Amino acid sequence: MRRRTFLTGLGALGTATLVGCGSKSDDNGYVADPGALQVYSAQHENLTKAWVEAFTKDTGIKVQIRKGGDSSMGHQLVAEGAESPADVFLTENSPAMTLVERNKLLAPLEEATARQVPADLTPSSKAWTSIAARSTVLVYNPSKLPPTELPKSLMDLAGPEWKDRWGCAPGGADFQAIVAGMLAGQGEQKTKDWLKGLKTNARALQNNIATMKSVNAGEIPCGVIYHYYWYRDQAGTKEGSGNTKLHYFRNQDPGAFVSLSGGAVLAGAKKPDEARKFLQYITSKAGQQVLVDSKSMEYAVGVGVPSAPALPPLATLQAPPVDPFTLSSDQVTTLMTDAGIL
């Protein structure tokens, strides 16, 4: 590993940003507006703002957003407990949501909201719902890695033939969700062995974009990222992806893991009715169309709402059948720390 990154936990809480309607922006001094619905969001800021603006326009309900990372927001909600000002929690990946759920901080999910998302895109606990999805992919540079030499499985990257030939961002919640999916599907020993291979073989990079750009520049032949970074760049200048292609592992491989972004109402919500309306809105056809129109290139999960046309349909990705309720962020960070990666 040429670079180490570290856990985002309570120490990152000071970076939370207030982006409320009519509120001040302050990276250090979040103050909840008692007149606004409080949304703690680890989702992408542009998408969250698009949802909030459409919801407020439709309902007149004022919303204040507190932005943070999956891990920092999840741990913050646990630390705040029943005293949290949060009404709604949105994540990028599901392990942070499961952390909050296991601390019994979520209100029951309304049936009307649950019906708007297919059952295979929700946790078995039914305590929260998915609001978007993203697929694991291997971005590769054909000039450095011919298609005939692509790995058949994500697990192959732990082999000695892949030393110094791939990269990833192990310090990020995205990559740790992929490892959580591997842990759920492959078990602890196989995951430990794979992480040992990662430690030996991979270049650790800051995030998915840095990984994609390193592949594009030919610095490494391939890298593990989420799909939407590549599609966004392809829809724009292609500056960071013009020399690359995507490889989908499919066949229920750990490398075909689909991560679900979660949404939930907090049990201690001060505005429970407004919170339920917001969650119902963003999973509705109108709310999911906002996601598609935002050009986030994440997958829509609402019933009857097609994702962006450039994306291969979610059903064709042959993702492994992982119940998001079983994903454990704490166990993953322990394994990665023990492996010397974090």
Side-chain angles (χ1 to χ4, degrees):
M1 303 289 293
R2 301 182 185 181
R3 179 175 180 175
R4 290 188 179 182
T5 50
F6 296 88
L7 295 174
T8 51
L10 287 172
L13 297 182
T15 61
T17 302
L18 180 65
V19 193
C21 301
S23 300
K24 295 179 179 179
S25 293
D26 188 339
D27 286 344
N28 300 305
Y30 169 82
V31 178
D33 177 354
L37 180 71
Q38 297 297 313
V39 175
Y40 277 30
S41 178
Q43 248 294 345
H44 295 163
E45 186 173 5
N46 61 336
L47 174 56
T48 308
K49 290 178 70 174
W51 270 330
V52 164
E53 289 171 1
F55 173 73
T56 299
K57 182 179 180 181
D58 192 50
T59 65
I61 296 173
K62 186 178 180 182
V63 179
Q64 186 177 16
I65 304 168
R66 187 175 192 180
K67 180 175 169 53
D70 273 342
S71 180
S72 61
M73 278 278 162
H75 283 94
Q76 173 147 351
L77 283 165
V78 171
E80 291 177 344
E83 302 304 316
S84 175
D87 297 303
V88 175
F89 183 33
L90 306 180
T91 67
E92 282 194 338
N93 298 283
S94 59
M97 186 64 77
T98 302
L99 171 70
V100 177
E101 177 186 357
R102 286 177 174 156
N103 281 273
K104 305 185 184 308
L105 295 173
L106 300 184
L109 182 66
E110 277 197 316
E111 181 59 30
T113 300
R115 284 198 300 268
Q116 296 184 141
V117 178
D120 62 347
L121 297 177
T122 55
S124 60
S125 65
K126 308 296 184 187
W128 51 273
T129 180
S130 61
I131 57 174
R134 59 274 304 275
S135 173
T136 310
V137 294
L138 187 78
V139 59
Y140 70 99
N141 188 321
S143 70
K144 302 292 182 180
L145 180 61
T148 54
E149 296 180 10
L150 287 168
K152 292 183 179 179
S153 170
L154 182 67
M155 307 304 286
D156 293 346
L157 296 178
E161 67 273 23
W162 289 98
K163 182 172 173 53
D164 298 328
R165 297 182 67 198
W166 65 286
C168 60
D174 287 352
F175 187 82
Q176 291 169 19
I178 295 170
V179 177
M182 179 185 294
L183 179 63
Q186 302 293 309
E188 184 169 309
Q189 189 56 55
K190 287 185 178 178
T191 303
K192 283 183 175 179
D193 293 342
W194 191 81
L195 290 173
K196 187 182 299 182
L198 185 159
K199 170 73 173 174
T200 302
N201 293 344
R203 178 182 297 189
L205 295 152
Q206 184 175 10
N207 52 41
N208 285 283
I209 293 174
T211 302
M212 181 177 71
K213 287 184 175 181
S214 291
V215 176
N216 188 63
E219 297 169 359
I220 45 176
C222 62
V224 178
I225 63 172
Y226 278 154
H227 77 280
Y228 57 86
Y229 295 97
W230 190 85
Y231 283 99
R232 285 180 188 171
D233 195 71
Q234 287 283 305
T237 64
K238 301 181 182 179
E239 183 179 1
S241 68
N243 300 324
T244 69
K245 293 184 177 181
L246 291 188
H247 172 52
Y248 287 85
F249 288 102
R250 293 192 167 87
N251 301 314
Q252 298 189 349
D253 187 81
F257 173 70
V258 169
S259 183
L260 300 178
S261 300
V265 174
L266 276 300
K270 309 303 184 294
K271 298 182 181 298
D273 292 342
E274 292 89 340
R276 286 191 287 268
K277 286 180 180 177
F278 181 74
L279 192 58
Q280 186 169 1
Y281 174 77
I282 65 175
T283 53
S284 69
K285 287 187 176 180
Q288 289 290 289
Q289 192 59 48
V290 169
L291 179 152
V292 176
D293 294 343
S294 74
K295 300 180 181 179
S296 71
M297 290 296 183
E298 295 180 74
Y299 279 99
V301 294
V303 174
V305 182
S307 298
L311 304 179
L314 197 56
T316 69
L317 303 184
Q318 302 173 2
V322 176
D323 179 356
F325 179 67
T326 66
L327 302 183
S328 170
S329 57
D330 289 344
Q331 190 177 0
V332 165
T333 51
T334 297
L335 291 178
M336 295 180 74
T337 301
D338 290 346
I341 296 168
L342 296 176

